[in-house]
Amino acid sequence: MKTKTVFIAEDEPLARETLRDWITERPQLRLIGEAADGATALTNIEIMLPEVVFMDIQMPEMTGLEVVRQLVHLPEFIFTTAYDQYAVTAFELNAVDYLLKPFSRERFDAAVERLLGVSAPSADLLQLALKQAAERDTAQLKRILVRDRGHIFPLAMDEIEYLKSEEKYTVIAARKKTFLVRIGLAELSARLDPGKFIRIHRSTLVNLDFVESMKTDEQSQLLLQMRDGTQLVANREASRMLRNMSI
């Protein structure tokens, strides 16, 4: 079987190293280059002309989807990402497969087998992606993948103390740390347990399980004392709602 040349576009060092190791172990694949941001990936793919690209969707400079749309040379793509909302778009771009981080060696091997066996995803595979995306879009999140010092790990939603919007990102406070994720607060809030997570401000949600106490400030708004020592102010509407929740 002819060896396929492969390029990795991935901004997370640990994920890039994992892909590099697994690709090297496959005799049907030959790694010819890597990039840690979208702009570099776009340039190098056009120069190196790989046959296959493992493409992270969320990268600095340009997203993986933006890279694909600007390429003249179009290799086969296996998209990788920590978020599932791009699955349908990936298959619309004729992706061979879509790996949701953290993916296992077994899942990687399955994607490679699909790569070596077909040139485009089957109708059954696309329908499965559509079904899974629809189901997950309406289901409450149980955990979210976060990054910390070069590692990606699952964080249970019950561990989250509060979330704050920061431009296109969301700051998550948990485990006495803060994590920055590339997903908007509005999108996250739609899949959180409304019995636990309360919006106290346009840009802030709190997990009531981590509220130590509340008191009224000089503007008649509630000041929330979180267990980690953080103080958060609820706007008037949220303050009224919280007062109505009290027995």
Side-chain angles (χ1 to χ4, degrees):
M1 180 181 293
K2 178 181 178 293
T3 301
K4 288 182 176 285
T5 55
V6 180
F7 188 92
I8 299 172
E10 167 65 62
D11 72 327
E12 176 57 53
L14 181 62
R16 194 165 60 247
E17 179 181 349
T18 299
L19 285 170
R20 184 191 308 131
D21 290 344
W22 290 352
I23 290 168
T24 303
E25 293 174 7
R26 298 291 304 228
Q28 310 96 327
L29 306 178
R30 180 167 63 89
L31 184 63
I32 61 172
E34 301 178 11
D37 64 81
T40 302
L42 176 62
T43 300
N44 289 349
I45 291 170
E46 294 288 19
I47 294 172
M48 297 179 179
L49 304 180
E51 296 171 275
V52 182
V53 175
F54 283 82
M55 179 72 76
D56 187 13
I57 290 181
Q58 292 286 0
M59 291 187 292
E61 305 294 336
M62 300 171 64
T63 69
L65 298 179
E66 289 171 335
V67 172
V68 174
R69 292 185 176 113
Q70 293 191 38
L71 282 171
V72 176
H73 166 70
L74 285 177
E76 294 178 291
F77 291 98
I78 296 176
F79 285 103
T80 63
T81 182
Y83 308 110
D84 64 347
Q85 70 265 31
Y86 301 103
V88 176
T89 302
F91 283 109
E92 287 174 347
L93 294 171
N94 292 321
V96 173
D97 209 338
Y98 181 95
L99 300 179
L100 190 62
K101 299 175 184 176
F103 47 85
S104 64
R105 178 60 186 267
E106 181 181 8
R107 185 66 185 86
F108 168 86
D109 286 339
V112 172
E113 292 304 316
R114 185 171 292 121
L115 169 73
L116 299 175
V118 296
S119 58
S122 66
D124 289 344
L125 184 62
L126 178 54
Q127 289 303 315
L128 178 61
L130 288 166
K131 180 175 181 294
Q132 290 176 337
E135 289 175 349
R136 294 182 70 162
D137 281 346
T138 57
Q140 285 185 4
L141 284 172
K142 299 298 183 184
R143 63 190 59 83
I144 189 171
L145 299 179
V146 297
R147 304 183 184 200
D148 183 38
R149 292 178 291 183
H151 293 77
I152 299 174
F153 62 91
L155 177 69
M157 305 311 289
D158 287 345
E159 296 181 80
I160 296 177
E161 301 171 32
Y162 59 88
L163 308 93
K164 299 188 73 172
S165 177
E166 189 171 294
E167 296 182 353
K168 297 180 181 179
Y169 301 87
T170 298
V171 176
I172 295 177
R175 301 182 183 181
K176 298 181 179 180
K177 297 181 180 180
T178 56
F179 306 96
L180 195 66
V181 297
R182 293 177 179 142
I183 184 170
L185 184 62
E187 186 172 350
L188 274 175
S189 64
R191 296 179 60 187
L192 296 176
D193 182 354
K196 284 189 175 184
F197 290 90
I198 303 295
R199 185 181 293 275
I200 63 167
H201 188 273
R202 181 174 55 86
S203 61
T204 308
L205 276 80
V206 299
N207 184 345
L208 290 177
D209 290 344
F210 288 91
V211 177
E212 188 73 32
S213 62
M214 308 181 201
K215 66 178 181 179
T216 304
D217 67 9
E218 295 178 354
Q219 283 75 42
S220 298
Q221 297 175 315
L222 285 177
L223 182 65
L224 279 63
Q225 181 72 39
M226 307 300 293
R227 290 185 186 175
D228 68 353
T230 302
Q231 291 187 331
L232 302 171
V233 178
N235 61 23
R236 294 185 184 280
E237 182 180 353
S239 296
R240 187 182 311 113
M241 176 187 65
L242 289 167
R243 289 191 183 97
N244 291 336
M245 290 173 64
S246 62
I247 297 175

